[in-house]
Each structure stands twice: as C-alpha cells, then as structure tokens.
Amino acid sequence: MREHIQIRETVAAEMPRDLLLQADPSTARVNACLHNARCFVGEIDADIVGVYLLQATAPEVWELMNISVHAAFQMQGVGSAMLRHAIATAGAAGAIRLEVGTGSFGYQLGFYQRHGFRVTAIAQDFFLTHYDEPIHEDGIQLKDMLRLTLELR
C-alpha cells in the first residue's frame, strides 16, 4: 500500500452506512450491530476508505461484526491494516479470542484465514433464515455461515 492509512475510533452516527451495507446488506442487522459496537474508520488523506465494528460478546471474547473497504481501495492492503488494527484493539481491551462470521466460500474466507483465523463452527442456513433477500457471491447463493476464531493469547 503506497498511502498510509489512519484508523480512528468514532461514533455510530458518523459511520458511512454505504460501506457497512457493502459488507452486510441488511439495514436492520447493521443498525443492530451499531447499537453496541465500537466503531472505527480508516482514512487516507482525510477520506474514509474503510470501516469496521467490534463488539464484546462474552467475557474475554470479541466479535468483528463488520469490516468493509471502499471498492477503489480494495486489494491495496487497507483491509489487512484494518483487520490488524481490530485484532490489536480487541487484545488491548482484554479479549483472548476474536471471532467473525462469514460466508462459506469466497474472498473473505481466505482473507481471514491469511490472518490466522480458523473455522470453528458452521451456522447452517444462516443466510437463508436471517436475510429477507438472497445474497449471492460470485454467482452462488450464500446459505451457510462459517464462524472463524483467532486466539489472541
């Protein structure tokens, strides 16, 4: 990545909804996540190029609820920088485990695995039962969610 990204915490009201909805197309689910999440934006030259949401889900367990990078900045290291920041932030907050849910195939799965996350569970039919509209990735309908975990200690 040629440009340096600055990542800062912000409030839910300042989170760009278009980027959040890029990662999760359900407005209701995004709004529900924002209610209890810590919100972060990634900026390059004062322009927001990425976002992520972190939430404590149990003692010492945090979840990455959403991470998204503007299309013009994808495949340039922005997402990796933001994920590393999320991992460090969760660890600094006392988490011993960071979890994330993603589709059962596609770029996102490899992205998390490259950063050390491992598949720990499958939520069968998650995308069929929790979304009103079908979600497609690479022309294939998402049905199952994989739960991935990164042990921080």
Side-chain angles (χ1 to χ4, degrees):
M1 184 170 64
R2 294 179 311 202
E3 302 159 284
H4 184 67
I5 184 168
Q6 296 291 321
I7 301 171
R8 65 176 173 84
E9 191 164 3
T10 189
V11 296
E14 293 181 11
M15 292 297 283
R17 296 296 197 280
D18 60 329
L19 280 177
L20 294 168
L21 291 169
Q22 180 177 286
D24 185 337
S26 169
T27 300
R29 291 185 63 79
V30 166
N31 289 339
C33 288
L34 280 170
H35 181 68
N36 293 316
R38 290 182 62 185
C39 305
F40 296 84
V41 295
E43 298 173 318
I44 295 176
D45 297 329
D47 292 322
I48 295 175
V49 298
V51 296
Y52 77 84
L53 303 175
L54 272 180
Q55 183 175 335
T57 57
E60 301 180 326
V61 179
W62 284 60
E63 183 170 352
L64 179 63
M65 305 300 289
N66 189 309
I67 185 168
S68 182
V69 174
H70 188 284
F73 292 89
Q74 291 177 0
M75 306 302 290
Q76 297 179 36
V78 171
S80 291
M82 295 191 71
L83 183 56
R84 286 190 300 274
H85 189 274
I87 292 166
T89 300
I96 61 170
R97 185 168 68 239
L98 182 60
E99 300 177 342
V100 67
T102 193
S104 56
F105 58 89
Y107 173 79
Q108 297 86 347
L109 179 58
F111 171 72
Y112 294 119
Q113 290 176 322
R114 281 191 298 280
H115 288 87
F117 285 80
R118 298 188 63 190
V119 176
T120 52
I122 300 171
Q124 290 188 335
D125 295 332
F126 180 89
F127 293 103
L128 300 177
T129 58
H130 290 88
Y131 289 84
D132 294 333
E133 299 291 325
I135 299 174
H136 291 85
E137 180 90 20
D138 296 328
I140 303 169
Q141 185 177 357
L142 287 176
K143 296 179 182 176
D144 305 323
M145 175 191 279
L146 296 182
R147 301 290 303 166
L148 291 88
T149 301
L150 178 66
E151 298 297 332
L152 300 178
R153 293 187 217 158

